[in-house]
Amino acid sequence: MTLIFAHRGSAGTHPENTMEAFLAAEKSGSDGIELDVHLSKDGEIVVIHDETVDRTTNGKGFVNQLLLKEIKELNASYKFKTFQSFIRVPRIPVLKEIFDWMRGNDLLCNIELKNGKIEYPFLEEKVIQLIRDYQYEERIIISSFNHYSLIHCYQLAPEIETAALYSDSLYMPWVYARAIRAKGIHPNIKSASDMIINGAIENGIAIRPYTVNKDNEIERLIRVKCSAIITDYPEKAIKIRRKISKM
Ligand code: G3P
Ligand code: CA
């Protein structure tokens, strides 16, 4: 069965990478969530996509130049005008908050290390320590566009699955995945033809394309038995999967 991972939570309908988006993903029946991490100035693992808080909040500045206390004051739904929460203001979570919440469910979690542009000191060590503290080794996939970082993760924790993110087409990506000790590949959807999906699976490499939002693409990947898809619309993807399974 093709697993459904909610990209940055249910980012199509909720402010990305917030608890609200992750709760919506759980409610939709997703099998997993995908999220992005950076380090704050005081070294906390912060769940946010960009290097700065500018695009998604009412604040300004680089995540690694703000203290967690300052980050926590920001409204993480400020730019997501169609979302209204009357209970509380959505905030930028730290990874530990997500892990605490995961104690109450069975969701898988794909942590994307956002260390392509900025090198965060000991990001890999900190993330792995937290995974081990919570004993989530079987529930986590660490991915990154920075494949040196994935090798580093493998050296620190060979028991935790890593997956190589990439955008443009690779020739026999399963060969490359093995070379960097990754058990999975996360290609851009444009680089995920049926041939590549079949090749990866036949070679024992999990394949989870991103960001798969169009109905026809979701349907194609489910029909070809892709390992998983990463989508902003998990609720829609679950419905499509259900429809296909009944045929
Ligand atoms: O992990 C898949 C996808 O999230 C990678 O791209 O920019 O959405 O983090 P981006
Ligand atoms: Ca991501």
Side-chain angles (χ1 to χ4, degrees), residues 7-8 17 34-36 49 112 114 143 145 165:
H7 184 235
R8 311 181 195 171
N17 282 320
E34 186 267 0
L35 54 81
D36 308 284
H49 181 273
E112 182 186 345
K114 281 287 185 200
S143 66
F145 285 99
L165 271 162

Side-chain angles (χ1 to χ4, degrees), residues 176-241:
Y176 176 69
R178 277 198 214 110
I180 62 164
R181 302 289 188 265
K183 292 199 174 69
I185 49 175
H186 292 185
N188 185 295
I189 180 62
K190 72 180 189 315
S191 303
S193 64
D194 289 1
M195 191 189 77
I196 289 293
I197 293 169
N198 288 326
I201 293 168
E202 279 162 19
N203 284 279
I205 296 294
I207 175 164
R208 308 179 190 92
Y210 73 93
T211 307
V212 192
N213 288 341
K214 292 187 187 143
D215 292 25
N216 62 328
E217 286 174 338
I218 295 171
E219 203 167 319
R220 173 174 72 85
L221 267 55
I222 292 171
R223 285 189 190 282
V224 77
K225 298 189 171 33
C226 191
S227 317
I229 64 171
I230 301 173
T231 177
D232 290 327
Y233 298 95
E235 201 176 341
K236 176 171 78 171
I238 301 278
K239 277 189 191 145
I240 294 174
R241 186 173 70 182

Side-chain angles (χ1 to χ4, degrees), residues 31-203:
D31 305 292
I33 54 168
E34 186 267 0
L35 54 81
D36 308 284
V37 295
H38 297 258
L39 288 185
S40 66
K41 187 176 182 180
D42 42 350
E44 298 293 337
I45 309 167
V46 176
V47 179
I48 183 170
H49 181 273
D50 299 357
E51 285 72 24
T52 72
V53 297
D54 303 13
R55 181 180 59 85
T56 52
T57 78
N58 55 339
K60 274 202 172 308
F62 280 85
V63 174
N64 72 346
Q65 287 169 20
L66 293 166
L67 295 168
L68 181 61
K69 181 167 64 79
E70 296 166 322
I71 290 170
K72 278 292 183 190
E73 281 163 13
L74 303 175
N75 178 344
S77 70
Y78 184 70
K79 302 276 171 71
F80 202 100
K81 297 291 181 199
T82 53
F83 180 81
Q84 292 257 322
S85 171
F86 300 105
I87 307 163
R88 58 183 177 191
V89 176
R91 303 289 179 192
I92 295 174
V94 288
L95 187 57
K96 195 176 174 313
E97 288 170 68
I98 310 299
F99 278 11
D100 282 338
W101 163 73
M102 280 172 58
R103 281 197 165 124
N105 60 51
D106 293 324
L107 288 169
L108 300 168
C109 177
N110 170 203
I111 300 172
E112 182 186 345
L113 305 180
K114 281 287 185 200
N115 50 4
K117 294 182 186 156
I118 295 176
E119 223 175 280
Y120 295 104
F122 302 110
L123 175 64
E124 295 90 343
E125 283 81 354
K126 287 181 182 204
V127 167
I128 285 168
Q129 188 56 55
L130 201 64
I131 295 169
R132 285 182 169 156
D133 289 349
Y134 280 77
Q135 299 182 321
Y136 282 169
E137 289 89 341
E138 299 295 324
R139 294 176 69 183
I140 303 288
I141 302 150
I142 298 177
S143 66
S144 182
F145 285 99
N146 180 343
H147 299 176
Y148 288 92
S149 177
L150 293 181
I151 294 267
H152 189 42
C153 288
Y154 176 78
Q155 287 166 342
L156 292 168
E159 75 280 13
I160 299 171
E161 177 170 344
T162 57
L165 271 162
Y166 64 95
S167 181
D168 293 340
S169 289
L170 285 179
Y171 182 66
M172 298 207 292
W174 45 90
V175 174
Y176 176 69
R178 277 198 214 110
I180 62 164
R181 302 289 188 265
K183 292 199 174 69
I185 49 175
H186 292 185
N188 185 295
I189 180 62
K190 72 180 189 315
S191 303
S193 64
D194 289 1
M195 191 189 77
I196 289 293
I197 293 169
N198 288 326
I201 293 168
E202 279 162 19
N203 284 279

